[in-house]
Amino acid sequence: MNPSDLEHWLAARPPALAEVIRQLAAACAEISRAAARSGLDHAAGDGVVQGLAQRAEQCVALALGDCKQVAGFVTDDQREPVISPEHGSGGAYLVLANPLEGEGAGALAGDGPLGTLFSVLPHLFRGTPASPAAFMQPGRRQVAAGYAIYGPRTVLVLSAREGVQMFTLEPGSDRWLLTQDALAVPATGTAVAVDPANQRFWEKPVQRYVAECVAGQSGPRGRDFTMRWSESLVADVHGIFARGGVLLDPRDNREPYRPGRLRLMFEAAPLALLMEQAGGAAANGSAALLDLVPDALQQRVCVILGSREEVERIVCYHADPSQNVSWQLFKTRSLFIQPQA
C-alpha cells in the first residue's frame, strides 16, 4: 500500500513526535469507524452515545499506552494522568486528549457532529518519572495539537508549529490524504458562533460586540453577520477555519467566580495553537490563551477565538470598559505572537 499523505508529512517531523501523532491519527480513524457504526442505531438513544464515548476513550488509551514516546497521558474525564509504567521516564512527550467532544444528548439521533481534540507537550524532565505537575505547562509550549471531526467525512486538522494542515480519511482505509495545506483563517469574518440563550448573562464587552454584529449593515460594523451555535466545539471551530469569524464562550454573571465552560488544557489550548498557527488569535478577554499557565488539569476558561481582527476587537472592548478606546490604536498593540514559519 502506498504511504498516506500524512506519512509523508510525518517524515519531515522529529521521529519521536511523528510516532505520537501517528498513534493519535490511528485512534481517530478507529473512532471514526465506531461513530459510523453507532450512527446506524438511533433507537438506542443516549446509550449509543455513552457506548461510543467509552469506545473513544479506549481507542485513545490503547494508542497512547502502547507508544514508547509517551511518558504519560490524561483525558478530560480523568482526575489524574496515566503515567506509563514502561515509558514514564524515557518518553519524550505528554498528551492530553478529549476523545469524544460533542456527545451531548441526542447527538447521534440528530446526526450532530462529533470530534476528538488533543494536545502534545514536551516531557521537560525526561529521565525522571512524569508527574501530574509535569502537565502544568502553558499552551505556548505545545509541540503539536489537532482535532478530528467525524461526519460525512472524517477530517484531521493538525499543527506541529509549522502552519496548519488538513487531512481527510480515505473511506475504508487508514490512509489520511492531504486536502488542504497551509490552512489560513481569514483576518476578519462575519460568522459568530455563540449560544444566544445566555446573552443576558454575558460580560458587557461581549454584549457590545454581539449587539454590533446583530445590528448588521445599519450598525457600526456596516455589514451583516450570521449567528450559529451547534453545541459542538469542533464543528463551530471548523466552520471558522473555512469562513472566518469568531467563537465565543464568554464568562457570565450567573457564576461570577467560574472563569468559563471550556477546559484550558483539553480544548482551549490546542485550538488556540491551531488558530495562531493559521493566522488567527485566541484570548480569554485579557490575555492570549496560549500564555495562561494552568494550575489544575481540569481548569476552565472563557474563550474568544477566530479571525485575528475580530478577537482583537473584543479584547479591545475588555481593555476599556468605558468603551472609549481607540480601535485603530489598539490594533498596533496586539497581545498575540505572530506564528512562525
Side-chain angles (χ1 to χ4, degrees):
M1 180 183 293
N2 293 330
S4 68
D5 292 341
L6 178 60
E7 283 298 323
H8 285 298
W9 183 83
L10 290 174
R13 313 275 85 76
L17 179 59
E19 182 58 25
V20 175
I21 296 174
R22 184 177 294 112
Q23 293 299 321
L24 286 164
C28 291
E30 182 57 37
I31 295 169
S32 174
R33 288 188 285 270
R37 291 192 296 269
S38 297
L40 296 176
D41 185 10
H42 290 174
D46 291 348
V48 171
V49 180
Q50 183 177 4
L52 180 57
Q54 292 172 347
R55 178 58 182 150
E57 186 90 18
Q58 292 170 355
C59 290
V60 170
L62 288 171
L64 298 178
D66 290 341
C67 182
K68 67 180 181 180
Q69 301 299 339
V70 176
F73 68 91
V74 61
T75 66
D76 65 318
D77 285 334
Q78 295 172 320
R79 301 183 70 88
E80 295 290 335
V82 176
I83 307 303
S84 171
E86 296 86 11
H87 317 127
S89 297
Y93 299 105
L94 307 170
V95 179
L96 301 104
N98 182 341
L100 194 68
E101 187 277 330
E103 74 276 21
L108 289 177
D111 291 323
L114 301 167
T116 297
L117 297 106
F118 57 84
S119 167
V120 183
L121 292 166
H123 179 18
L124 296 177
F125 304 103
R126 192 174 181 183
T128 62
S131 67
F135 288 79
M136 300 294 109
Q137 302 180 44
R140 194 73 66 187
R141 288 184 180 163
Q142 292 173 104
V143 294
Y147 68 81
I149 183 168
Y150 312 114
R153 59 178 184 149
T154 295
V155 173
L156 179 66
V157 177
L158 182 63
S159 177
R161 303 192 68 91
E162 295 178 348
V164 180
Q165 288 72 38
M166 182 187 296
F167 299 89
T168 299
L169 184 64
E170 184 179 63
S173 78
D174 287 336
R175 300 180 69 236
W176 294 93
L177 308 179
L178 182 66
T179 46
Q180 192 166 350
D181 195 10
L183 202 63
V185 179
T188 187
T190 58
V192 181
V194 65
D195 184 359
N198 298 320
Q199 181 172 358
R200 64 193 184 279
F201 303 116
W202 296 336
E203 294 178 299
K204 290 189 181 299
V206 175
Q207 289 195 12
R208 175 191 179 187
Y209 175 82
V210 173
E212 291 178 348
C213 295
V214 170
Q217 288 187 351
S218 61
R221 301 299 304 276
R223 64 178 191 262
D224 291 330
F225 288 76
T226 59
M227 299 286 180
R228 58 167 295 172
W229 182 251
S230 70
E231 296 186 352
S232 169
L233 178 62
V234 291
D236 286 332
V237 169
H238 200 61
I240 289 170
F241 270 112
R243 300 181 297 274
V246 64
L247 178 140
L248 301 171
D249 196 274
R251 185 195 301 265
D252 66 48
N253 60 23
R254 286 173 298 177
E255 298 178 88
Y257 297 105
R258 182 181 179 182
R261 180 181 65 91
L262 299 179
R263 295 174 178 88
L264 172 61
M265 302 181 72
F266 298 97
E267 296 152 342
L271 291 176
L273 180 67
L274 292 168
M275 277 292 165
E276 286 204 10
Q277 286 292 313
N284 67 352
S286 59
L289 287 176
L290 291 182
D291 293 331
L292 300 181
V293 180
D295 54 24
L297 279 175
Q298 301 293 341
Q299 180 176 341
R300 296 177 186 267
V301 293
C302 58
V303 170
I304 303 161
L305 70 98
S307 295
R308 179 172 291 267
E309 290 190 11
E310 301 304 316
V311 174
E312 289 185 338
R313 179 180 290 272
I314 301 169
V315 172
C316 166
Y317 294 168
H318 278 81
D320 185 358
S322 70
Q323 304 182 355
N324 292 323
V325 68
S326 166
W327 165 238
Q328 293 299 325
L329 174 63
F330 183 82
K331 287 179 67 176
T332 68
R333 298 182 284 130
S334 175
L335 286 171
F336 308 104
I337 296 175
Q338 294 287 344
Q340 297 180 355

